[in-house]
Amino acid sequence: MGAHRGCSEHRTVHRQQRQFTTSVLPPPTTSVASSRTDDTTTTTTTTRVAGLSKASPTPPRYRYPEPDTPVVMDEKHGYLEYRLATPPPSYPMTSRVTRRKGLLPVLAMAALFAWSCWGYLRLPTAPARTGVVPDGAPAAAVKDLVPLEAHIMSKCPDARDCLRDLVLPTMMKVQDKVNFTLSYIGTPTENDGVDCKHGPSECMGNIIELCAAHLYPDPKINLGFTMCLTREYSAIPDRTLVEDCALEHAIDIQALNDCATEDDGGFGVGMLRDSVRRSKSAGVTKSCTVRLNEEFYCVRDDGQWKDCPHGAGVNDLVIAIEKLYRS
């Protein structure tokens, strides 16, 4: 680096001297003199520079610039590197230490907060009450829940409207206060069979829905599955529809099929027969009929609500359930 710098500065000095000579000295003048001697002509050319008689000014000497900071050559690197004669002063790292000290209280508070949250999450919680009554439960436990029952036919449009507009919204609000039952309407036969109003396909749909309630007693599952089928009641018991609804509500389709075909279908027919007899003994003949606390509450028939003295709205049914639950 030093060698290149020297060459560059010498070239700069030479360039400045040439510029000085050109700008200070005027251009030379030439005079021609002729003389004739013995038939020979001699021509003499004299070149004279104007102003030589005067003392020409001395060109300025170039001085290398003085560095602002004294530097010394590094002995190891020679011309390739300069270093400061006096190293810069070092400052104590007081700010970093201060920041570290300031972080300690914050970390301590964060650790204390995390420990408190962990202790709170590990506290034991009481199980929530649901409307599902286990088999063999004592009578006192069942008595606390209000009986709510819907009597339907699986391929009936009134059953779809009844479940969608009244039963399902009510269950979403008071599930933990009712003992819900879904029963079916039909006609028992002499050979322990069942006749369904909309044909054998409706009987098969009733059995599938009863199997779902048998395998999954939680109304959130079995009632949701039944509602899924009832939305497309005309397609019941199409296998694709059943599989789609089972998948939607996390129901094992193989277990559902085994239930419907157990004992060559005898198990499913037996559940349907018992359900139909229950509806008949209650005096129910129309789908959909809603009963509350073993009494008729409201009927959906021919696309209309009938015989609903307390109202056919969801809030009306919820209020009636709340009153019975507190009494």
Side-chain angles (χ1 to χ4, degrees), residues 24-81:
V24 174
L25 298 180
T29 58
T30 306
S31 61
V32 180
S34 301
S35 61
R36 183 180 182 84
T37 305
D38 297 333
D39 299 331
T40 302
T41 302
T42 303
T43 303
T44 304
T45 303
T46 304
T47 303
R48 181 168 55 89
V49 178
L52 284 181
S53 59
K54 298 181 181 180
S56 59
T58 304
R61 296 181 60 187
Y62 180 80
R63 298 185 63 183
Y64 291 101
E66 295 293 337
D68 297 334
T69 305
V71 297
V72 296
M73 297 296 294
D74 195 322
E75 296 177 357
K76 294 183 179 180
H77 298 83
Y79 293 99
L80 300 179
E81 184 175 332

Side-chain angles (χ1 to χ4, degrees), residues 193-275:
V194 177
D195 285 339
C196 298
K197 182 177 181 179
H198 299 93
S201 61
E202 182 177 72
C203 288
M204 191 65 210
N206 296 344
I207 291 173
I208 292 174
E209 293 174 2
L210 284 169
C211 282
H214 173 73
L215 296 172
Y216 301 90
D218 188 352
K220 292 192 298 292
I221 299 177
N222 64 66
L223 187 56
F225 172 76
T226 300
M227 186 68 243
C228 179
L229 295 178
T230 309
R231 288 193 187 98
E232 301 182 31
Y233 63 90
S234 60
I236 293 175
D238 182 72
R239 183 177 182 85
T240 302
L241 175 62
V242 175
E243 290 178 349
D244 291 345
C245 291
L247 181 63
E248 180 179 343
H249 295 276
I251 290 179
D252 187 352
I253 187 63
Q254 184 60 45
L256 198 64
N257 183 69
D258 293 342
C259 173
T261 59
E262 185 177 349
D263 296 335
D264 293 332
F267 180 74
V269 172
M271 287 194 300
L272 178 59
R273 182 175 59 249
D274 294 341
S275 181

Side-chain angles (χ1 to χ4, degrees), residues 73-261:
M73 297 296 294
D74 195 322
E75 296 177 357
K76 294 183 179 180
H77 298 83
Y79 293 99
L80 300 179
E81 184 175 332
Y82 290 94
R83 61 183 175 86
L84 293 177
T86 304
S90 59
Y91 299 96
M93 301 175 65
T94 56
S95 59
R96 182 177 300 178
V97 175
T98 303
R99 287 196 299 269
R100 289 181 179 177
K101 290 183 178 179
L103 288 176
L104 291 178
V106 177
L107 294 176
M109 292 296 294
L112 180 61
F113 178 75
W115 181 82
S116 301
C117 292
W118 174 251
Y120 175 78
L121 293 175
R122 295 187 63 185
L123 290 176
T125 56
R129 296 183 59 187
T130 63
V132 182
V133 180
D135 296 337
V142 178
K143 187 177 180 180
D144 292 339
L145 302 177
V146 179
L148 177 63
E149 188 170 6
H151 302 262
I152 65 170
M153 302 175 186
S154 61
K155 292 178 71 72
C156 176
D158 290 319
R160 176 199 60 192
D161 299 340
C162 178
L163 294 178
R164 180 191 62 198
D165 300 336
L166 181 61
V167 176
L168 202 61
T170 301
M171 287 295 295
M172 293 176 64
K173 294 184 177 182
V174 293
Q175 176 188 347
D176 58 337
K177 299 177 182 178
V178 299
N179 178 21
F180 180 75
T181 305
L182 192 62
S183 299
Y184 292 84
I185 301 172
T187 304
T189 61
E190 295 180 356
N191 57 352
D192 292 335
V194 177
D195 285 339
C196 298
K197 182 177 181 179
H198 299 93
S201 61
E202 182 177 72
C203 288
M204 191 65 210
N206 296 344
I207 291 173
I208 292 174
E209 293 174 2
L210 284 169
C211 282
H214 173 73
L215 296 172
Y216 301 90
D218 188 352
K220 292 192 298 292
I221 299 177
N222 64 66
L223 187 56
F225 172 76
T226 300
M227 186 68 243
C228 179
L229 295 178
T230 309
R231 288 193 187 98
E232 301 182 31
Y233 63 90
S234 60
I236 293 175
D238 182 72
R239 183 177 182 85
T240 302
L241 175 62
V242 175
E243 290 178 349
D244 291 345
C245 291
L247 181 63
E248 180 179 343
H249 295 276
I251 290 179
D252 187 352
I253 187 63
Q254 184 60 45
L256 198 64
N257 183 69
D258 293 342
C259 173
T261 59

Side-chain angles (χ1 to χ4, degrees), residues 146 177 292 310 316-327:
V146 179
K177 299 177 182 178
L292 178 63
H310 302 287
D316 299 327
L317 181 55
V318 170
I319 291 173
I321 293 173
E322 292 283 358
K323 289 181 179 179
L324 291 172
Y325 184 77
R326 290 194 297 264
S327 62

